[in-house]
Amino acid sequence: MHFLPSKYAAVKRAVIAVGSVCLSLTSGCAQYGRAAQPPSEAEACSSLRSIIAASDRQFREYKTTPTINPLSGMTKWETRPVFPNAQCDVLEWAGGRTNYVCTWPQGNEAQARETYRKHSALIGRCLDRTWARSDTSGQTGGATVFTKPNKSTQVVMRYFRPKRGFGTAWETSLTIGDEVTSDP
């Protein structure tokens, strides 16, 4: 019976230790309960330039666990977004092209156009003067393509209504990397 008090003391110390860990975790995690602040323009530009530079290495440092689609021959890695509220992936196509792609599901054309306008303007401010900008319009929406002489990497911001599905929701997308064409 003389062991009982020491066992209780050990249990008490363990409970206190666990309690203080829990307290530090909950107080430390309180900051994460708040909505994340969007990055500053300088931070967004730095991220964008890092992703563009990573295109020469097939975005190796942005790849996580791959998902392979055997029908299309495409491999996808979920990755961190350059801009808030985007779903981003690194896509490697069967023909060897690799892209960093972000999408924003939008409700309507006006929302998609506003996201497109805001981010394409920011991209234009982030890139140096050696990048050329061209704006085009398609059947639905429009696109801004940034290209640089002697560099295969493109930066494309667009908004559009997808042809797939039956909904009328619009999307905005950012594609960085090799030009995606129908050629293999």
Side-chain angles (χ1 to χ4, degrees):
M1 199 77 172
H2 72 290
F3 296 112
L4 194 56
S6 65
K7 283 184 179 180
Y8 282 127
V11 169
K12 183 177 177 183
R13 282 192 302 273
V15 167
I16 290 170
V18 169
S20 47
V21 168
C22 290
L23 181 59
S24 66
L25 285 175
T26 56
S27 63
C29 293
Q31 64 181 331
Y32 297 108
R34 291 183 226 129
Q37 292 294 324
S40 68
E41 184 166 314
E43 291 167 331
C45 287
S46 177
S47 293
L48 179 67
R49 287 189 290 268
S50 293
I51 292 167
I52 291 169
S55 68
D56 293 337
R57 298 177 301 281
Q58 289 76 39
F59 305 99
R60 194 174 26 245
E61 58 267 41
Y62 291 90
K63 294 177 178 177
T64 58
T65 305
T67 303
I68 300 169
N69 182 333
L71 297 176
S72 69
M74 180 187 73
T75 304
K76 173 178 92 167
W77 294 266
E78 288 186 20
T79 192
R80 61 187 180 272
V82 65
F83 296 120
N85 305 319
Q87 169 61 46
C88 300
D89 302 302
V90 172
L91 304 176
E92 188 172 284
W93 307 94
R97 292 180 179 93
T98 307
N99 297 98
Y100 174 97
V101 179
C102 297
T103 57
W104 293 261
Q106 308 287 184
N108 60 41
E109 182 179 2
Q111 292 168 317
R113 188 181 317 114
E114 178 56 25
T115 300
Y116 157 78
R117 185 201 59 74
K118 180 173 72 171
H119 292 316
S120 59
L122 176 60
I123 292 166
R125 291 190 302 273
C126 291
L127 300 177
D128 64 41
R129 294 175 193 233
T130 62
W131 288 83
R133 175 185 176 139
S134 63
D135 296 305
T136 62
S137 43
Q139 292 178 348
T140 65
T144 300
V145 179
F146 297 91
T147 56
K148 187 173 185 173
N150 303 318
K151 186 159 178 73
S152 64
T153 300
Q154 293 185 337
V155 179
V156 181
M157 190 75 207
R158 57 186 281 239
Y159 74 102
F160 59 98
R161 184 176 50 218
K163 294 179 182 177
R164 66 186 184 275
F166 300 103
T168 58
W170 285 69
E171 290 184 14
T172 309
S173 71
L174 168 67
T175 304
I176 301 171
D178 298 324
E179 180 181 5
V180 178
T181 66
S182 58
D183 298 336

